[in-house]
Amino acid sequence: MSVNVNDLSITSLETIMAFGINGGTHRFTLDELQNATIANSQDNTALTGKGGRTIGQLKRNKSVTVSGTNGMVSMGLVEVEVGSAGEHKTATPVKIPDYLTVNSNKATTNFKAVGTAGNEIQEVIVKSADSTINKRLTQDATAATGKFAYDPATKELTFADGEIADGTSIVVYYTRNVEGDVVSNISDNYSETVEMYVDALAEDKCHNIYHVQFYIPYADFTGSFDLAMGDSQTTHGFEATSLASACTNGGTKFWDMTVFGEQEDAA
């Protein structure tokens, strides 16, 4: 039976959904897509006859690559690209700077510093009026010349009498525990293969609207991606190779393209 729809204009890229292979659970959905490309290729070698004329083509090595850019960073996509599952942690360490002012030989950190007891904050950097470094103090059990004490329970820094004048700016760098989501890029974990669905909208010549879905049974992610941060939007690029597998219904296919309208479900 031939197809009922012929020429189509792809008018909108909607979403890309990914699931575990062979009918697995949801991994991620990209719904802020800037672009996506399904690149199809094959190697063609000319077969020649008399006088070098082409008498046929030797065709082999078909391949399909899916690539694109999402307008937001997808944590689920990051997990697939680095090959490590993320987790929500109630306490995980982050390093921060803290800019404080000394008064009455004391200052209080904005957060609780954690680490080796008695060495939670390795040093205090004392600034001059012109913001250059005046001196550095190291942590000790009690405040003394060149030394400061820190109490994690009160978050209070204590300095020796006359060590630092009131109103002096100091900087401390320390680790605090936060609640957050963590994904790790581990050196011996590699990108994953997922079941992928690319959804788009299209119109025919009579302006009838259709849904177009590409089903890619085995999308093997390359693990190559950049997260560029700075003076412009951070986007999330991706690339995956479609793997042919006899495990799929219908043989070793790279993808299915299904075009359907707004009608009710099939009987």
Side-chain angles (χ1 to χ4, degrees):
M1 182 182 295
S2 62
V3 296
N4 292 325
V5 179
N6 291 317
D7 300 329
L8 289 173
S9 295
I10 303 293
T11 56
S12 176
L13 175 62
E14 295 295 291
T15 63
I16 291 180
M17 300 180 294
F19 299 83
I21 59 174
N22 302 322
T25 58
H26 177 262
R27 300 301 306 277
F28 63 82
T29 295
L30 306 180
D31 57 6
E32 293 292 347
L33 288 159
Q34 295 181 347
N35 57 74
T37 301
I38 301 175
N40 305 271
S41 67
Q42 70 177 27
D43 293 341
N44 300 311
T45 302
L47 304 176
T48 59
K50 183 178 179 180
R53 67 187 180 209
T54 300
I55 58 175
Q57 294 274 1
L58 180 62
K59 302 176 182 180
R60 60 181 65 188
N61 298 332
K62 288 185 72 173
S63 65
V64 173
T65 300
V66 183
S67 60
T69 304
N70 196 51
M72 301 180 73
V73 177
S74 166
M75 296 295 282
L77 176 54
V78 170
E79 289 180 323
V80 169
E81 289 177 318
V82 302
S84 295
E87 58 179 317
H88 183 80
K89 295 188 176 182
T90 56
T92 189
V94 293
K95 194 84 166 183
I96 65 164
D98 214 350
Y99 303 92
L100 310 172
T101 301
V102 176
N103 283 298
S104 301
N105 300 317
K106 294 183 183 296
T108 303
T109 58
N110 287 296
F111 304 96
K112 178 182 177 181
V114 298
T116 303
N119 194 34
E120 297 89 353
I121 299 175
Q122 294 178 332
E123 65 175 2
V124 166
I125 300 172
V126 182
K127 295 294 191 71
S128 300
D130 61 359
S131 294
T132 59
I133 296 176
N134 180 287
K135 57 184 173 180
R136 298 171 185 263
L137 309 180
T138 55
Q139 186 173 341
D140 207 341
T142 57
T145 301
K147 305 289 184 179
F148 69 93
Y150 179 67
D151 183 356
T154 62
K155 301 184 288 187
E156 191 171 75
L157 296 157
T158 305
F159 305 98
D161 288 345
E163 180 81 47
I164 304 176
D166 285 357
T168 299
S169 296
I170 62 173
V171 183
V172 291
Y173 299 91
Y174 57 88
T175 298
R176 59 178 287 231
N177 277 333
V178 299
E179 181 176 355
D181 297 324
V182 179
V183 179
S184 299
N185 190 353
I186 300 170
S187 62
D188 53 358
N189 284 12
Y190 298 94
S191 56
E192 301 177 42
T193 301
V194 301
E195 185 178 280
M196 181 184 288
Y197 297 83
V198 181
D199 285 298
L201 295 178
E203 290 185 10
D204 64 14
K205 292 179 179 178
C206 297
H207 303 290
N208 297 306
I209 304 297
Y210 295 90
H211 294 271
V212 179
Q213 183 173 89
F214 289 88
Y215 163 56
I216 300 154
Y218 299 100
D220 186 10
F221 278 78
T222 64
S224 298
F225 66 102
D226 296 321
L227 296 176
M229 295 165 279
D231 59 357
S232 59
Q233 177 184 0
T234 299
T235 59
H236 194 168
F238 59 90
E239 183 179 73
T241 300
S242 179
L243 305 178
S245 173
C247 290
T248 58
N249 292 330
T252 56
K253 64 184 173 186
F254 286 122
W255 49 258
D256 284 335
M257 177 183 180
T258 302
V259 180
F260 58 101
E262 299 287 352
Q263 70 274 10
E264 297 291 332
D265 290 340

